[in-house]
Amino acid sequence: HQAAIANRWDEAQAHWKITVETDRSSFRLAYNLALAYEQGGNYLAAAEAWREALRRRPRRADHPDALDDEQIARLWQHTAEIYRKANLPEDAIKVYQQAIKRDPDNISLRLALSENLLAVGRIQAAQNELERILGRDPNHIPALLRMGETLFRSDQWWVRLTAPRYWERILKLEADHMQARQALADYYRNQAEIDYSWDRFSEAIKDYQDALKYQPNHAFTLAAIANCHIRNGAPDSAQPYIDQALGLAPKDVRIFGEIIGAWIQVGDYDRAWKFMRQAEAAIKPVPVEFYLTRAAQLLEMEQKEQAALWLDAAIEQALPDQPVLLMIGEMAMDYDDQLARRYLEQAVAAGQAAGEAHLLLGILADKRGDKRARSRHWNEAERIARQTRDTELKERTTIARLMAGGPQAMLERLLNMGGPEAVEDFLSFMEGESDE
């Protein structure tokens, strides 16, 4: 207790752990140990200790430490919250269910349970729990909000269409409820993006207009409407929305990107450049990535000459410490190997992240079957990695060597190195890299 009062929780934890082992029936000792684990940030141990404390709780009503059902439910709820902090949602769900058994009319417990069910993708179970809450209180705003979100995450499109009615019910109860307005605006923007992806520009405009009903001054939504008008062959209709968007967010690079991307898509490159100059006047400096995004769009459209103009602008606008040549080369690898190779070689010559450039040049050489060039570039990448103590570059080069020649060659190489265990270890490593 003295250590805990002095905020020395590790010391308190050590003492309480000894006493709990000495007296395995004491509720108070188990409670204190759980608290010490929690304060020390060891949430898994804390959650298990809280469950142990609940198992040790006095069963006699006349015991000085006796708990009533409401107190027991609160402890179960607290235990579930600690499991959530330990990133163990399934365990949290089980504990919430225990708490609800003790206090079945506790709406906050059921709401917390529904949130955890939703977090692990158990959508139908979350919906069932929310229906129980709304059965008791049809105007429970947090449950209405969560029900809309739950339905929107359904795999069935006709179920997703029912989500807005719950958020609209909230607005009937509280007209200015910000979360409900945000949810409805996001819903209609999502619908607009679906229509836009299918070139249904008139339908997308209607969806975006619906979103504006709930967020009238949302600059990006206004810019998206302008984009739709441009793509729909009505540039004059786009201009008022462009003016409104820039009036609300004159330095938002996303607004300029939305409009420039639309002009490029319809092949009006002069207007795209004109609007780019407007962006450069408003935003200082324009990020290099902005130019590269437009260049990538043009390369995907096989407009190499136009893309070159944006790449030149990226080089001109790059900050002194930015490896812009490497950035261009890496981006171009998705569209044009020759173009990527040219810029990566320029990056090596300019000393811009030369190790990374050699790694990527080796990958391009492997792709075209030039084993000699591949080996030369990767040897140089490894030399630079050793010299600069760049462990990440070294690991990436090692992986590139393993994967050289395609999947079959990689599998044979791993089997020769260490048999099936080496293959399993490599796949586990790659899975971990992907998760990161």
Side-chain angles (χ1 to χ4, degrees), residues 341 361-378:
R341 183 179 175 186
L361 283 165
I363 293 172
L364 288 172
D366 178 60
K367 189 175 178 180
R368 65 178 184 272
D370 189 340
K371 295 181 180 180
R372 182 176 294 181
R374 177 186 74 189
S375 180
R376 174 167 51 83
H377 285 301
W378 285 345

Side-chain angles (χ1 to χ4, degrees), residues 73 76-77 80 89-104 109-110 112-114 116-117 122 125 129 132:
W76 278 118
Q77 182 176 7
E90 290 289 355
D91 291 277
I93 287 167
K94 293 175 184 176
V95 175
Y96 275 124
Q97 289 168 337
Q98 288 290 335
I100 289 170
K101 286 181 182 178
R102 288 283 172 179
D103 192 359
L109 279 177
R110 291 190 179 276
L113 173 58
S114 72
N116 277 266
L117 290 166
R122 293 167 60 180
E129 207 59 53
R132 292 186 184 100

Side-chain angles (χ1 to χ4, degrees), residues 47-222:
E48 296 297 328
W50 281 118
R51 292 185 81 166
E52 179 61 26
L54 280 160
R55 280 192 288 268
R56 294 186 182 191
R57 71 182 187 276
R59 298 305 200 267
R60 293 198 337 264
D62 60 347
H63 192 283
D65 293 331
L67 304 173
D68 59 31
D69 281 349
E70 184 179 349
Q71 291 171 319
I72 294 170
R74 282 205 302 269
L75 274 183
W76 278 118
Q77 182 176 7
H78 183 76
T79 304
E81 289 164 358
I82 300 302
Y83 270 120
R84 288 181 68 179
K85 290 184 178 181
N87 198 28
L88 292 168
E90 290 289 355
D91 291 277
I93 287 167
K94 293 175 184 176
V95 175
Y96 275 124
Q97 289 168 337
Q98 288 290 335
I100 289 170
K101 286 181 182 178
R102 288 283 172 179
D103 192 359
D105 295 326
N106 190 320
I107 287 179
S108 65
L109 279 177
R110 291 190 179 276
L111 188 63
L113 173 58
S114 72
E115 290 171 357
N116 277 266
L117 290 166
L118 188 60
V120 299
R122 293 167 60 180
I123 294 174
Q124 186 60 57
Q127 183 179 341
N128 293 342
E129 207 59 53
L130 290 164
E131 285 173 352
R132 292 186 184 100
I133 296 172
L134 293 173
R136 289 179 168 86
D137 182 359
N139 294 328
H140 191 273
I141 287 178
L144 290 169
L145 192 67
R146 189 66 63 196
M147 180 64 93
E149 180 185 346
T150 301
L151 295 172
F152 182 66
R153 289 181 55 177
S154 171
D155 292 333
Q156 300 166 323
W157 64 267
W158 58 89
V159 174
R160 291 196 298 273
L161 291 176
T162 65
R165 70 176 65 161
Y166 291 90
W167 299 321
E168 288 165 356
R169 192 191 303 177
I170 293 173
L171 295 183
K172 289 180 180 179
L173 298 168
E174 291 185 21
D176 296 325
H177 195 282
M178 295 305 297
Q179 287 176 285
R181 286 186 168 276
Q182 181 72 54
L184 283 160
D186 288 343
Y187 172 85
Y188 286 110
R189 277 192 287 267
N190 181 269
Q191 294 298 111
E193 289 168 10
I194 294 170
D195 283 325
Y196 186 93
S197 69
W198 288 97
D199 293 345
R200 298 194 296 255
F201 303 117
S202 296
E203 290 86 344
I205 289 169
K206 181 181 180 302
D207 294 328
Y208 281 126
Q209 294 285 10
D210 285 337
L212 286 176
K213 293 176 185 176
Y214 302 102
Q215 289 184 328
N217 295 317
H218 195 274
F220 188 78
T221 301
L222 291 163

Side-chain angles (χ1 to χ4, degrees), residues 175-420:
D176 296 325
H177 195 282
M178 295 305 297
Q179 287 176 285
R181 286 186 168 276
Q182 181 72 54
L184 283 160
D186 288 343
Y187 172 85
Y188 286 110
R189 277 192 287 267
N190 181 269
Q191 294 298 111
E193 289 168 10
I194 294 170
D195 283 325
Y196 186 93
S197 69
W198 288 97
D199 293 345
R200 298 194 296 255
F201 303 117
S202 296
E203 290 86 344
I205 289 169
K206 181 181 180 302
D207 294 328
Y208 281 126
Q209 294 285 10
D210 285 337
L212 286 176
K213 293 176 185 176
Y214 302 102
Q215 289 184 328
N217 295 317
H218 195 274
F220 188 78
T221 301
L222 291 163
I225 293 174
N227 180 319
C228 291
H229 280 300
I230 293 169
R231 294 294 308 279
N232 212 24
D236 292 341
S237 299
Q239 193 58 50
Y241 292 99
I242 295 173
D243 294 340
Q244 288 181 66
L246 290 178
L248 291 165
K251 296 182 182 297
D252 190 336
V253 72
R254 297 181 311 144
I255 303 299
F256 288 99
E258 187 75 5
I259 305 306
I260 291 170
W263 288 126
I264 288 175
Q265 203 65 40
V266 298
D268 197 334
Y269 306 125
D270 290 339
R271 283 196 178 183
W273 268 112
K274 182 179 179 181
F275 208 68
M276 184 68 241
R277 297 308 177 202
Q278 190 175 339
E280 289 170 341
I283 306 166
K284 297 183 183 298
V286 175
V288 166
E289 293 81 2
F290 186 88
Y291 298 95
L292 298 188
T293 299
R294 305 281 74 82
Q297 182 182 359
L298 286 158
L299 287 173
E300 189 171 0
M301 296 168 62
E302 299 184 356
Q303 296 290 330
K304 294 184 182 180
E305 291 185 9
Q306 288 294 329
L309 299 175
W310 290 86
L311 296 177
D312 290 343
I315 294 169
E316 182 182 337
Q317 295 293 329
L319 299 174
D321 60 343
Q322 280 187 298
V324 63
L325 297 170
L326 174 74
M327 294 166 69
I328 292 172
E330 188 171 12
M331 176 274 293
M333 288 176 71
D334 291 332
Y335 306 100
D336 188 316
D337 287 354
Q338 287 186 332
L339 183 68
R341 183 179 175 186
R342 175 153 57 89
Y343 278 101
L344 290 170
E345 287 173 346
Q346 290 180 32
V348 170
Q352 288 188 8
E356 180 76 12
H358 277 296
L359 169 61
L360 298 177
L361 283 165
I363 293 172
L364 288 172
D366 178 60
K367 189 175 178 180
R368 65 178 184 272
D370 189 340
K371 295 181 180 180
R372 182 176 294 181
R374 177 186 74 189
S375 180
R376 174 167 51 83
H377 285 301
W378 285 345
N379 287 342
E380 188 61 19
E382 288 175 334
R383 184 191 68 77
I384 292 171
R386 288 193 301 271
Q387 188 179 50
T388 59
R389 298 180 180 179
D390 189 337
T391 56
E392 182 180 351
L393 176 60
K394 184 178 184 302
E395 287 177 0
R396 290 182 64 195
T397 306
T398 299
I399 293 171
R401 284 190 187 279
L402 282 170
M403 299 179 72
Q408 184 63 35
M410 179 193 72
L411 183 60
E412 291 176 3
R413 202 173 289 118
L414 286 168
L415 287 169
N416 290 334
M417 289 170 57

Side-chain angles (χ1 to χ4, degrees), residues 26-53:
S26 172
F27 167 72
R28 289 195 180 191
L29 289 177
Y31 183 103
N32 286 334
L33 179 59
L35 184 62
Y37 280 134
E38 185 179 331
Q39 291 295 323
N42 188 346
Y43 295 120
L44 176 57
E48 296 297 328
W50 281 118
R51 292 185 81 166
E52 179 61 26

